Amino acid sequence: LRGPERSAPTEKVEEAIRALGEAAVPEVVLCGIHLAGFGRERGESLVSLLAALEARPPACRVRLSSVEPMEAGEALLDLVAGSRVVAPHLHLPLQSGSDAVLRRMRRGMTAARFRALLSRVARANPRVHLATDVLAGFPGETEAEFEETAALLRDLPLASLHVFPFSPRSGTAAARLAEASAVPRGIVARRARLLRDLDGRLRRRYVRTHDGQPADVVALRGGAGLTETYVEVALPPGAPGPGSRFPARLSLRPDGVLEARPAGPFSC
């Protein structure tokens, strides 16, 4: 359905990012089906694009959307961890922490490799928001395999999870597996609920690390803002309006919500 991989020309992307920044767009998100493979068909790379932005920062911050962990590579992870342009936020979809399930998914990833990637980023920059996707109830997933996933996720330096219950898509290999070894719906729902409970604990833990810290905030609608670390914060009355970008000081309220108080006009 997708055809061969193809990317916009690197110079055009860089030009567009700079133009958006000059037009007062506060944040640009780079998206793609295989984002880490950007430019590969031309012998270029996402790292080279980001390095060009590092050398001459645009007026906006840049965020990466989901990046497949088996395609990311150390060079990309190291760049994000130390960047002054790219937001400290990496979404690396895992899907399962069980090597047996990952093999059935044909993911090309192992739990040990995923742990090594996240540990590398966390050592370089503990502020990076590390997020992942996890799928509950893939065909044939045993209770022991689910526990492997839950144990790995609890042990990793993650800030948030995106949890999905498995649902078959007609015509796929996974749908054929489901015909023979579907996990009962009630069990899938219970596993998804447990993973969402874990997500809540991870998010609360990560939010607490921001208390008293400076932040680069983009104002959203409804009195909210978004930090460079992809945490939503509350803005006090009189804060800059939607679309504004400004430095702030964060404080954790008794209700667990982070509040961002502007600390002056933003300058790159």
Side-chain angles (χ1 to χ4, degrees):
L1 293 174
R2 293 171 180 161
E5 289 186 15
R6 53 205 181 277
S7 312
T10 300
E11 63 275 11
K12 293 293 186 183
V13 177
E14 184 181 353
E15 182 181 298
I17 292 170
R18 296 192 187 284
L20 288 166
E22 290 166 5
V25 171
E27 177 178 302
V28 173
V29 183
L30 302 183
C31 305
I33 300 298
H34 288 279
L35 183 59
F38 170 81
R40 185 162 45 198
E41 74 278 16
R42 297 188 303 275
E44 300 171 358
S45 70
L46 180 61
V47 170
S48 62
L49 167 64
L50 299 178
L53 297 173
E54 285 292 317
R56 190 162 63 91
C60 57
R61 70 188 185 197
V62 175
R63 191 180 301 278
L64 302 182
S65 62
S66 184
V67 177
E68 288 291 354
M70 51 284 220
E71 298 176 345
E74 281 81 359
L76 176 59
L77 300 184
D78 291 349
L79 188 150
V80 173
S83 179
R84 56 179 176 158
V85 172
V86 184
H89 172 216
L90 280 165
H91 187 91
L92 302 165
L94 173 63
Q95 308 303 357
S96 174
S98 163
D99 286 344
V101 175
L102 288 168
R103 284 193 294 272
R104 294 201 296 274
M105 290 179 172
R106 302 175 187 173
R107 288 286 293 162
M109 176 55 56
T110 66
R113 174 62 175 157
F114 191 76
R115 181 190 294 275
L117 290 172
L118 266 63
S119 297
R120 183 185 184 98
V121 177
R123 284 195 303 270
N125 185 354
R127 293 185 67 250
V128 176
H129 182 138
L130 292 168
T132 193
D133 290 344
V134 60
L135 190 66
F138 189 79
E141 183 186 60
T142 65
E143 195 65 25
E145 289 168 343
F146 170 73
E147 286 300 329
E148 286 182 71
T149 295
L152 178 67
L153 297 175
R154 286 193 296 267
D155 197 41
L156 291 174
L158 287 162
S160 64
L161 308 175
H162 291 188
V163 179
F164 303 93
F166 173 79
S167 58
R169 180 178 294 176
S170 178
T172 63
R176 290 190 291 274
L177 283 175
E179 292 174 3
S181 56
V183 179
R185 289 185 180 180
I187 293 177
V188 174
R190 177 182 63 82
R191 291 175 183 173
R193 183 175 65 253
L194 291 172
L195 292 173
R196 290 188 179 110
D197 289 344
L198 175 58
D199 168 57
R201 295 196 297 274
L202 293 174
R203 289 177 187 266
R204 289 190 292 273
R205 181 181 71 182
Y206 186 63
V207 162
R208 287 195 295 271
T209 68
H210 289 67
D211 188 23
Q213 297 299 309
D216 169 7
V217 174
V218 170
L220 309 175
R221 295 185 178 89
L226 189 69
T227 69
E228 73 277 28
T229 55
Y230 207 65
V231 170
E232 190 165 307
V233 294
L235 301 182
S244 303
R245 182 184 174 196
F246 55 90
R249 179 70 60 175
L250 304 179
S251 60
L252 189 62
R253 300 189 321 208
D255 60 3
V257 173
L258 277 174
E259 186 171 76
R261 297 211 165 258
F266 191 87
S267 60
C268 292

